[in-house]
């Protein structure tokens, strides 16, 4: 990538921001040397691992590699048999600990929860070396000091050093307290000189004190003497220190040899962890700037959504939307100075470099970037006094260099194209340069003040106009990029606002050509239309937000209603279940009472007793009906004749009129019983009508069809036959039958066997037998009810 472009786009400043997010010196070093990649596959891989790091940070928190350093020199020295210093071994130990923590962190995350295939594959190369790590942990502390228990010999020597030191200090303390020596001492304290314990003695008492002189003060008034009483102890202490140094050196050599055995895995560890630190630093940077990884491809489509320059504070930057490569090959941006034209250029170029470095860009998700082979930028005034280059010459030198290398895989950024020379010649030269770039199929973004370039963009379908908005009322730019609209010069409006007389402004306007007037009027119209469209867009977005909020509120209410409805249904089910249970208990009591009456007085069962019992049974049954089920509809009729089917209200049963006792009393056959019923207690039965019910509850109304003293089950399956038999026995008992016949036929005997087993367990069956000669023989079972 062109070095000049990297510099003018301030790519190094972006890398500095990323460096701040690294957790190790080695990671910072790698980021400093980061360069944009031009290989599509490699760029895709870099962005993919950055996305994984963003997911990891967002869902599972930080992963740090603090203390990771470049250990290549140490590893090489260990490899050739050299001794590593304790500080180097501490750095290697910290690297192994970081590797262990990283591997543990990733393993704790279930692949189903967060796949992270790239990060898992990278950490799969790491060798944890637990034995070496444990040995280092037992040998060296975090400050690089060799621990006492690193070896038995070292432990012994340090214990001896401690004992000898205590004896020396004790002897010297006694001398400090002695009246004989106190007058000879400059200060009552013990000092170390050349690793030997000494006392500060006055110069005039050096011969009288007795001992070895190791040092003296700058003034010469004090000499530091080792008393004869501790010379022997200090000698022994010194020997122990030398032995300690030799033992420490032996331990370091031993550890270095162990490191040498695993140099290659440690190198891999260092590379993997450094790479992961870089990837996580990219992700932290992306999180800080609220960025996303752009979608890269091998085409020409460049689209930025709500793009924000990463080096401008977020509270100051105005996001831009920009697209080139499909409908248009280039954009020409016009507008006032300090309005944001150059920022637009730098944003586009910098985003290309960042994307190809695997960095998130501060733009909304859904931004697209091609992978460029070259990004060229001619931005700013780079005139050189030493080289005698003017502004125009400097620009032309850069452009000439670009045109030698530009192709369809290039992005060209041109600031103030054609400036610095005669406006007419500059504009013509600028148009010619842009046409050459268009022929080379490169994408470009250019800024200018020339009206001729606005017209060029208006007439050439490969190029589109854009402008940075300027508020004439406040004389300040808004920094908004308006694509599709060329920028107005605003020179006359600004001059008028600043107080320039109208006459001067009008004379200046008269100097403009007709074409220039038309262009300014066209721009003004387009700007006003854009303003109106923008206002309407904002209104539409506001209405859309309100509609979305109302929809959410409605959905919440519907959800609440559904929950309340479900609760009401559940309450109704529970109440129905309770009523059904009570009804069953009541029915059982009625049936027991009927059976008792039938046993005690089979021939004296009173009609009013039966009527009362059946009424209790009817009242015990809830009158709810199943949705969509059939109900019996009855209608009053003044004409009732013998043979009519009627509904007897007192027992809630159907019957047949068998005799007219008087005009207001009838004899009605209900099952096996005959009852006297008044006219007011009868209703003539009509045909059943299908009536839809709104209720969602089950009907427990009993059938009132005529009960026969026998049931024919021939040809039915056993399960079906048993169900019908159970219902039939209940109905027969309620109708007052004491004995019924079940016709099952002879056949294979399976149905008869099933009926027999069923009757043995039925609580209403007193006894049963096969039919006699005139009753159907073995094809019939006669049942006595109780």
């Amino acid at each position: 990538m062109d070095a000049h472009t990297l510099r003018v786009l301030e790519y190094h400043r972006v890398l500095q921001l990323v460096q701040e997010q690294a957790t190790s010196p080695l990671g910072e070093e790698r980021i400093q040397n980061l360069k944009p990649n031009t290989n599509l596959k490699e760029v895709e891989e870099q962005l993919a691992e950055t996305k994984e790091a963003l997911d990891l940070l967002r869902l599972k928190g930080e992963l740090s590699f603090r203390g990771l350093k470049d250990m290549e020199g140490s590893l090489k020295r260990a490899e050739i048999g050299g001794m590593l210093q304790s500080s180097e071994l501490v750095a290697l130990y910290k690297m192994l600990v970081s590797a262990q923590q990283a591997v543990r962190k990733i393993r704790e995350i279930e692949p189903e929860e967060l796949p992270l295939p790239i990060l898992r594959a990278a950490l799969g190369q790491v060798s944890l070396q637990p034995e070496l790590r444990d040995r280092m942990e037992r040998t060296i502390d975090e400050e690089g000091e060799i621990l006492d228990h690193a070896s038995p010999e070292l432990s012994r020597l340090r214990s001896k050093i401690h004992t000898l030191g205590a004896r020396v200090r004790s002897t010297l303390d006694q001398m400090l307290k002695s009246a004989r020596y106190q007058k000879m001492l400059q200060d009552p304290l013990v000092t170390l000189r050349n690793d030997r314990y000494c006392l500060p003695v006055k110069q005039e008492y050096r011969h009288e004190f007795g001992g070895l002189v190791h040092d003296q003060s700058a003034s010469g008034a004090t000499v530091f003497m080792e008393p004869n009483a501790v010379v022997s102890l200090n000698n022994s202490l010194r020997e122990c220190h030398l032995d300690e140094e030799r033992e420490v050196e032996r331990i370091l050599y031993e550890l270095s040899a162990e490191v040498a055995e695993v140099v290659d895995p440690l190198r891999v560890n260092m590379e993997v962890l450094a790479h992961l630190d870089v990837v996580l630093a990219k992700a932290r940077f992306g999180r800080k700037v609220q960025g996303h990884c752009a979608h890269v491809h091998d085409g020409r489509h460049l689209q930025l959504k709500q793009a924000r320059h990463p080096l401008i504070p977020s509270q100051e930057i105005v996001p831009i939307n920009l697209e080139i490569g499909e409908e248009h090959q280039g954009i020409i941006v016009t507008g006032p100075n300090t309005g944001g034209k150059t920022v637009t250029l730098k944003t586009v170029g910098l985003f290309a470099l960042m994307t190809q470095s695997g960095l998130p860009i501060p733009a909304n998700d859904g931004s697209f970037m091609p992978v460029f082979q070259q990004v060229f930028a001619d931005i700013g005034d780079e005139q050189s006094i030493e080289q005698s280059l003017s502004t125009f010459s400097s620009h032309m030198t850069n452009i000439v260099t670009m045109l030698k290398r530009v192709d369809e895989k290039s992005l060209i950024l041109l600031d103030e194209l054609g400036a610095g020379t005669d406006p007419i010649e500059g504009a013509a030269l600028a148009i010619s340069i842009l046409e050459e770039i268009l022929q080379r199929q490169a994408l470009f973004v250019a800024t200018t003040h020339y009206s001729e370039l606005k017209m060029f963009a208006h007439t050439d379908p490969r190029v589109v106009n854009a402008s940075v908005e300027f508020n004439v009322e406040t004389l300040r730019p808004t920094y908004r990029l308006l694509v599709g609209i060329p920028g107005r010069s605003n020179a006359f409006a600004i001059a008028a606002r600043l107080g320039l007389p109208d006459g001067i402004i009008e004379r200046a306007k008269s100097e403009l050509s007709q074409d220039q007037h038309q262009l300014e009027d066209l721009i003004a119209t387009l700007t006003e239309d854009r303003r109106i469209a923008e206002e309407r867009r904002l209104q539409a977005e506001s209405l859309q937000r309100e509609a979305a909020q109302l929809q959410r509120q409605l959905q919440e209410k519907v959800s609440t209603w559904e929950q309340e409805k479900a609760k009401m249904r559940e309450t109704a089910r529970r109440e129905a279940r309770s009523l059904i249970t009570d009804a069953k208990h009541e029915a059982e009591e009625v049936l027991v009472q009927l059976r008792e009456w039938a046993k005690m007085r089979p021939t004296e069962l009173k009609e009013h007793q039966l009527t009362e019992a059946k009424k209790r049974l009817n009242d015990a049954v809830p009158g709810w009906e199943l949705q969509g089920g059939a109900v019996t509809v009855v209608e009053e009729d003044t004409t009732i004749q013998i043979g009519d089917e009627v509904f007897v209200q007192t027992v809630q049963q159907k019957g047949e009129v068998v005799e007219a006792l008087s005009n207001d009393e009838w004899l009605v056959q209900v099952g096996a019983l005959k009852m006297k019923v008044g006219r007011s207690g009868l209703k003539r039965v009509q045909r059943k009508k299908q009536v839809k019910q709104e209720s969602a509850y089950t009907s427990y109304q009993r059938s009132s069809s005529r009960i026969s003293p026998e049931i024919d089950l021939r040809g039915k399956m056993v399960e079906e036959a048993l169900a019908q038999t159970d219902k039939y026995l209940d109905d027969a008992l309620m109708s007052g039958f004491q004995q019924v016949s079940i016709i099952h036929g002879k056949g294979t005997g399976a149905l008869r066997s099933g009926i027999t087993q069923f009757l043995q367990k039925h609580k209403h069956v007193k006894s049963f037998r096969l039919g006699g000669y005139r009753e159907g023989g073995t094809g019939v079972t006669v049942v006595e009810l109780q």
Side-chain angles (χ1 to χ4, degrees):
M1 196 65 69
D2 184 66
H4 173 77
T5 298
L6 297 179
R7 179 170 55 81
V8 298
L9 292 179
E10 300 179 286
Y11 176 71
H12 64 284
R13 291 185 59 193
V14 174
L15 293 186
Q16 289 174 358
L17 296 178
V18 181
Q19 277 183 294
E20 294 174 0
Q21 303 302 320
T23 60
S24 70
L26 187 55
E28 293 180 12
E29 181 182 335
R30 299 292 173 87
I31 294 170
Q32 187 177 5
N33 298 322
L34 198 62
K35 292 291 186 292
N37 200 325
T38 58
N39 184 285
L40 174 62
K41 184 177 180 181
E42 293 177 2
V43 172
E44 288 176 335
E45 291 175 352
Q46 290 177 356
L47 291 173
E49 62 186 7
T50 303
K51 289 179 183 177
E52 287 191 11
L54 281 167
D55 291 339
L56 178 65
L57 294 178
R58 184 177 69 254
L59 299 176
K60 295 299 177 182
E62 280 290 348
L63 188 62
S64 175
F65 302 98
R66 297 194 183 280
L68 181 64
K69 300 178 181 178
D70 187 355
M71 302 297 300
E72 182 57 33
S74 301
L75 294 176
K76 283 184 177 179
R77 192 159 62 257
E79 198 171 20
I80 61 175
M83 185 191 77
L84 301 182
Q85 298 299 318
S86 59
S87 58
E88 296 174 294
L89 291 170
V90 169
L92 285 172
Y93 169 75
K94 290 182 178 179
M95 181 179 70
L96 290 173
V97 171
S98 294
Q100 180 191 31
Q101 292 172 346
V103 171
R104 183 188 299 120
K105 177 96 171 181
I106 296 298
R107 286 177 178 173
E108 288 174 352
I109 303 171
E110 294 295 334
E112 295 78 12
E113 180 185 7
L114 203 58
L116 306 177
I118 300 176
L119 297 184
R120 291 182 192 274
L123 285 172
Q125 305 175 51
V126 170
S127 175
L128 298 181
Q129 299 295 326
E131 294 181 0
L132 177 60
R133 187 184 66 246
D134 291 345
R135 173 70 192 282
M136 289 180 172
E137 188 174 6
R138 294 193 307 268
T139 303
I140 311 175
D141 65 14
E142 292 187 357
E143 302 300 325
E145 294 294 329
I146 305 299
L147 300 173
D148 293 351
H149 52 266
S151 73
E153 177 64 13
L154 184 62
S155 178
R156 185 189 68 81
L157 288 171
R158 288 188 173 172
S159 177
K160 186 176 180 180
I161 290 171
H162 178 73
T163 301
L164 290 173
R167 288 176 60 188
V168 170
R169 287 191 297 273
S170 176
T171 302
L172 294 178
D173 286 341
Q174 291 178 3
M175 295 179 68
L176 291 176
K177 297 175 183 178
S178 172
R180 176 188 173 190
Y181 294 107
Q182 284 182 353
K183 64 177 181 178
M184 302 180 187
L185 299 177
Q186 193 71 262
D187 294 298
L189 53 84
V190 177
T191 64
L192 272 175
R193 289 293 187 272
N194 299 324
D195 293 330
R196 300 180 77 88
Y197 289 101
C198 300
L199 294 176
V201 180
K202 296 176 181 178
Q203 176 66 33
E204 59 270 25
Y205 292 108
R206 59 181 298 179
H207 299 292
E208 183 180 348
F209 185 80
L212 302 176
V213 177
H214 289 282
D215 198 3
Q216 69 177 8
S217 64
S219 64
T222 304
V223 291
F224 297 94
M225 299 185 65
E226 179 184 3
N228 291 327
V230 296
V231 169
S232 178
L233 289 174
N234 271 335
N235 288 339
S236 298
L237 189 59
R238 180 58 182 163
E239 290 175 2
C240 285
H241 278 299
L242 293 175
D243 291 341
E244 178 195 21
E245 291 176 4
R246 285 191 289 270
E247 180 62 14
V248 167
E249 187 175 313
R250 186 194 67 79
I251 293 172
L252 293 177
Y253 265 114
E254 192 174 89
L255 273 177
S256 301
E258 293 183 27
V259 170
E261 295 177 1
V262 291
V263 162
D264 291 336
L266 292 177
R267 279 199 180 101
V268 172
N269 287 2
M270 184 176 64
E271 291 300 320
V272 170
L273 297 183
H275 178 70
L276 290 179
D277 193 26
V278 172
V279 173
L280 287 166
K282 293 178 182 179
R284 295 187 195 98
F285 166 78
R287 186 172 58 177
K288 182 178 180 180
V289 299
Q290 300 179 348
H292 293 84
C293 291
H295 301 280
V296 294
H297 55 92
D298 198 26
R300 294 162 49 82
H301 184 209
L302 186 155
Q303 182 180 19
L304 300 179
K305 295 182 178 181
Q306 295 294 292
R308 307 170 297 277
H309 195 287
L311 300 179
I312 299 178
S314 58
Q315 66 272 17
E316 299 178 12
I317 191 66
V318 177
I320 64 171
N321 294 303
L322 183 144
E323 183 175 6
I324 53 176
E326 288 196 337
E327 296 184 6
H328 307 288
Q329 190 177 332
I331 297 179
I332 294 179
V333 185
T334 51
N337 290 329
T338 71
K341 299 191 303 298
T342 304
V343 170
T344 298
L345 279 184
K346 288 187 174 183
T347 300
V348 175
L350 200 51
F351 277 22
L353 301 179
M354 292 169 63
T355 297
Q356 292 179 216
S357 300
L359 291 170
I361 57 175
N364 287 3
D365 193 20
S367 296
F368 290 84
M369 291 293 295
V371 174
F372 296 104
Q373 296 300 310
Q374 290 289 344
V375 177
F376 297 106
D378 177 47
I379 298 175
D381 184 1
E382 297 189 41
Q383 60 179 311
S384 170
I385 296 177
E386 294 180 359
Q387 299 179 15
S388 300
L389 293 177
S390 65
T391 299
F392 178 75
S393 299
S394 174
H395 284 304
M396 284 301 106
T397 300
N398 291 334
I399 292 172
V400 168
T401 303
M402 294 179 192
L403 293 178
K404 291 178 181 178
R405 302 162 59 188
V406 67
D407 58 20
E408 70 278 1
K409 292 289 186 180
S410 300
L411 173 65
I412 312 297
L413 306 170
L414 301 170
D415 190 26
E416 300 295 348
L417 181 60
T421 187
D422 179 77
I424 297 177
E425 293 181 358
L429 191 58
I431 292 173
S432 180
I433 291 170
L434 292 180
E435 287 179 337
E436 177 66 21
I437 293 173
L438 289 170
Q439 290 180 4
R440 303 276 189 95
Q441 297 296 310
L443 300 183
F444 74 86
V445 181
T447 68
T448 186
H449 286 286
Y450 293 149
S451 297
E452 290 84 352
L453 290 182
K454 301 177 189 178
M455 292 300 298
F456 171 73
H458 182 68
T459 57
D460 194 316
R462 297 170 295 177
V463 187
V464 64
N465 268 307
S467 60
V468 287
E469 194 176 50
F470 187 83
N471 189 327
V472 179
E473 299 298 324
T474 62
L475 299 181
R476 294 180 63 85
T478 66
Y479 302 105
R480 296 173 59 216
L481 181 68
L482 307 177
V483 178
I485 300 178
R488 300 181 62 185
S489 66
N490 294 306
F492 295 147
I494 293 172
R497 291 283 298 174
L498 293 176
L500 192 66
D502 293 340
I504 297 177
I505 294 175
E506 290 302 322
R507 282 198 300 271
K509 288 183 177 179
S510 66
E511 296 296 327
L512 295 177
S513 66
Q514 185 65 28
D515 290 341
Q516 288 173 323
H517 276 296
Q518 291 177 351
L519 176 61
E520 288 298 318
D521 291 342
L522 173 63
I523 294 173
T525 302
L526 288 175
T527 303
E528 180 63 18
D529 290 345
R530 177 63 177 262
R531 185 189 63 78
I532 295 173
E534 184 68 14
E535 290 178 356
R536 291 177 178 174
R537 182 184 67 81
L538 294 175
Q539 291 176 356
E541 289 179 352
S542 176
L543 292 174
Q544 184 179 15
R545 286 192 297 270
E546 291 178 6
Q549 183 177 3
L550 290 174
Q551 183 182 17
R552 286 193 299 271
Q553 293 174 353
L554 180 59
Q555 288 175 344
E556 291 174 359
K557 289 182 178 180
V558 169
S559 177
T560 303
W561 291 339
E562 289 295 334
Q563 293 175 2
E564 293 178 355
K565 186 177 178 182
K567 291 179 181 178
M568 293 173 66
R569 285 179 176 174
E570 182 62 26
T571 301
R573 288 193 194 97
R574 292 173 181 171
E575 292 177 354
R577 193 177 297 116
S578 176
L579 291 172
I580 292 167
T581 302
D582 294 342
K584 286 182 178 179
H585 291 162
E586 184 70 19
E588 290 293 336
E589 292 177 5
V590 172
L591 290 175
V592 170
Q593 187 177 1
L594 285 174
R595 293 191 191 98
E596 293 296 328
W597 288 348
K599 286 180 183 179
M600 292 186 297
R601 298 182 180 86
T603 59
E604 299 179 7
L605 185 61
K606 303 297 183 181
E607 181 178 329
H608 73 276
Q609 292 175 323
L610 179 62
T611 301
E612 183 182 351
K614 287 193 174 184
K615 187 174 186 303
R616 283 181 62 200
L617 181 61
N618 181 71
D619 292 342
V621 178
W624 303 322
E625 297 162 352
L626 185 64
Q627 183 177 356
V631 299
T632 301
V633 177
V634 295
E635 297 176 355
E636 292 185 0
D637 198 323
T638 57
T639 60
I640 293 180
Q641 301 176 0
I642 296 174
D644 284 349
E645 189 174 9
V646 294
F647 185 78
V648 182
Q649 292 181 326
T650 55
V651 295
Q652 294 289 301
Q653 293 286 338
K654 286 183 180 180
E656 183 181 345
V657 178
V658 296
E659 185 179 351
L661 301 179
S662 67
N663 290 335
D664 292 327
E665 191 173 27
W666 303 81
L667 186 62
V668 181
Q669 177 83 36
V670 180
L673 301 176
K674 291 182 180 180
M675 304 173 57
K676 292 179 181 180
V677 185
R679 177 65 187 84
S680 60
L682 297 177
K683 287 188 178 181
R684 184 176 177 180
V685 176
Q686 303 296 322
R687 291 184 178 179
K688 291 183 179 180
K689 298 179 182 178
Q690 299 296 325
V691 180
K692 288 187 177 181
Q693 300 295 324
E694 295 301 325
S695 173
Y697 303 103
T698 305
S699 172
Y700 297 95
Q701 224 168 10
R702 295 186 181 274
S703 173
S704 59
S705 57
R706 191 77 54 85
I707 301 300
S708 171
E710 62 184 26
I711 181 172
D712 191 348
L713 302 175
R714 288 176 292 184
K716 299 185 180 298
M717 301 296 291
V718 175
E719 291 79 2
E720 182 184 3
L722 295 181
Q724 291 187 11
T725 301
D726 187 33
K727 184 178 183 304
Y728 171 72
L729 293 177
D730 286 343
D731 293 341
L733 185 64
M734 292 298 300
S735 297
F737 287 107
Q738 292 183 327
Q739 180 177 297
V740 294
S741 298
I742 300 175
I743 303 172
H744 45 66
K746 299 176 181 180
T748 61
L751 183 57
R752 181 183 64 191
S753 177
I755 292 295
T756 299
Q757 294 178 11
F758 174 75
L759 294 175
Q760 288 173 346
K761 300 177 182 179
H762 201 287
K763 61 184 178 180
H764 299 323
V765 175
K766 182 177 181 181
S767 64
F768 62 90
R769 60 179 174 78
L770 293 175
Y773 175 70
R774 294 181 180 274
E775 294 176 321
T778 58
V780 176
T781 297
V782 179
V783 182
E784 185 179 354
L785 301 174
Q786 61 176 1

